[in-house]
Amino acid sequence: MATTADIRNGLNIRYNGKVYTIIDFQHVKRGRGGAFVRVKLKDVKTGRILEETFDSGEEIEIVRLDFRKFQFLYKDGDEFVFMDLETFDQIHVPSDLVGDNALFMKENETVDILFDGDQILGIQLPTFVELEVVETEPGIKGDTVTNVMKPAKLETGAVINVPLFIEQGEKIRVDTRTGEYVERVK
């Protein structure tokens, strides 16, 4: 067990049965009374941010999380099937753990899966993915003065806004963190 003296940004701890990452902390010394540590925690599974206060010297449980490389194989009903790139074992991940990442995952895509021991906490896609536009309205020539966007359906089924010059069949780069168009891929 560690104490509050070991707290630093980016440290993973178990608190109230959940795994959190420390985003920010501040050591506060009061005029009278003991010092305390004010901590901003981010839930690893849900992404919710929580502010907590620990007394100075209080024990905390540090958790070691592992990222492992997996390849997305296919969707099987309400689960996604991934293959470990080192052992070639296949695992089934429920769709609620995949979340919105499913909108930008195509088959044979390499992803990082976050583990706490043998328990899956989440999935992290590459920052940028290249996807093909399968459906969009044709752009109107000469309508490029302003930054006008139009909806486009991608090969994974996601619908994002793209500039007017993007046409059906073109490959584009998408930011998986925001779900926004980045650039056209040549």
Side-chain angles (χ1 to χ4, degrees), residues 4 26 34 69 72 97 100 104-105 123 136 156 161 180:
T4 55
Q26 183 179 18
K69 294 260 185 227
F72 171 55
L97 280 176
D100 290 340
F104 303 110
M105 274 189 339
I123 293 177
T136 188
T156 59
N161 287 326
E180 294 177 350

Side-chain angles (χ1 to χ4, degrees), residues 151-170:
K153 186 174 183 180
L154 306 177
E155 62 185 296
T156 59
V159 177
I160 66 167
N161 287 326
V162 298
L164 285 176
F165 59 82
I166 299 294
E167 295 178 10
Q168 189 169 325
E170 287 189 285

Side-chain angles (χ1 to χ4, degrees), residues 15-174:
Y15 179 68
N16 289 341
K18 293 184 178 180
V19 178
Y20 292 94
T21 300
I22 296 174
I23 298 172
D24 190 29
F25 73 97
Q26 183 179 18
H27 186 81
V28 179
K29 174 80 173 98
R30 291 182 273 203
R32 289 183 182 231
F36 62 92
V37 180
R38 191 174 293 128
V39 180
K40 195 178 278 191
L41 304 168
K42 181 177 180 182
D43 189 326
V44 172
K45 268 189 177 179
T46 63
R48 279 190 45 212
I49 295 187
L50 172 75
E51 290 194 24
E52 276 300 321
T53 304
F54 297 102
D55 289 329
S56 188
E58 189 175 330
E59 289 191 346
I60 56 172
E61 181 184 351
I62 296 177
V63 179
R64 187 174 183 308
L65 302 179
D66 295 321
F67 274 108
R68 289 192 237 150
K69 294 260 185 227
F70 280 79
Q71 182 179 35
F72 171 55
L73 298 177
Y74 58 91
K75 184 173 183 189
D76 184 22
D78 200 29
E79 296 183 322
F80 291 82
V81 180
F82 294 89
M83 179 181 68
D84 190 331
L85 292 178
E86 293 177 8
T87 64
F88 304 109
D89 292 336
Q90 291 185 8
I91 60 169
H92 294 260
V93 179
S95 59
D96 61 327
L97 280 176
V98 176
D100 290 340
N101 290 329
L103 294 173
F104 303 110
M105 274 189 339
K106 59 182 181 179
E107 292 181 358
N108 301 322
E109 186 83 38
T110 301
V111 300
D112 289 324
I113 298 184
L114 181 63
F115 284 90
D116 175 14
D118 289 335
Q119 182 184 7
I120 298 172
L121 295 178
I123 293 177
Q124 188 172 9
L125 293 176
T127 307
F128 301 104
V129 292
E130 295 178 4
L131 298 170
E132 184 178 333
V133 176
V134 293
E135 186 180 313
T136 188
E137 300 170 8
I140 302 165
K141 206 169 188 109
D143 203 1
T144 58
V145 175
T146 59
N147 191 12
V148 180
M149 306 292 259
K150 64 180 179 179
K153 186 174 183 180
L154 306 177
E155 62 185 296
T156 59
V159 177
I160 66 167
N161 287 326
V162 298
L164 285 176
F165 59 82
I166 299 294
E167 295 178 10
Q168 189 169 325
E170 287 189 285
K171 286 200 175 276
I172 61 171
R173 185 166 286 127
V174 178

